[in-house]
Amino acid sequence: MMLLEAEKERYKFRISRIEKAVLLALLRKYPLVPLSHHKLTAGHVQADAAAQTLLEDAMSARRAEVKSRIRQFVDDSERFVPETTHLRL
């Protein structure tokens, strides 16, 4: 993948068809870490169960939002523009 252009928060990349397949496969699996992995406190301090549940609920809502945005990205048929040997993203 090669960055072709960067303007404010918009970027254009040149990407091969194999790189596209790998990127889409990775995005479909994201995020992979289970919610139970994240703890409210670090170390040996025990977190309040209600606070831990609140954290997991908030993370679950955020995860659903991210998955929705990824789905929109992946399903956009005009996202990858064919060029001679590569695709433009």
Side-chain angles (χ1 to χ4, degrees):
M1 181 182 290
M2 177 189 288
L3 177 63
L4 299 175
E5 188 177 317
E7 188 176 305
K8 294 186 181 178
E9 292 187 20
R10 300 192 60 87
Y11 304 94
K12 288 184 183 176
F13 294 94
R14 185 175 73 188
I15 186 170
S16 73
R17 286 169 173 73
I18 292 172
E19 289 170 326
K20 175 190 174 187
V22 171
L23 175 64
L24 295 181
L26 288 172
L27 287 175
R28 286 186 182 103
K29 292 179 184 263
Y30 181 83
L32 202 55
V33 177
L35 290 174
S36 61
H37 173 75
H38 302 283
K39 303 297 179 200
L40 190 59
T41 60
H44 299 290
V45 179
Q46 193 69 302
D48 179 27
Q52 182 66 33
T53 301
L54 183 61
L55 171 67
E56 290 178 9
D57 291 346
M59 290 183 67
S60 179
R62 176 69 179 145
R63 180 175 284 201
E65 178 186 328
V66 168
K67 279 192 163 285
S68 174
R69 292 182 69 191
I70 289 172
R71 200 172 314 111
Q72 289 173 357
F73 177 88
V74 169
D75 292 343
D76 185 357
S77 61
E78 297 177 6
R79 175 81 53 193
F80 295 91
V81 179
E83 293 189 342
T84 53
T85 59
H86 291 80
L87 302 166
R88 187 168 29 92
L89 170 63

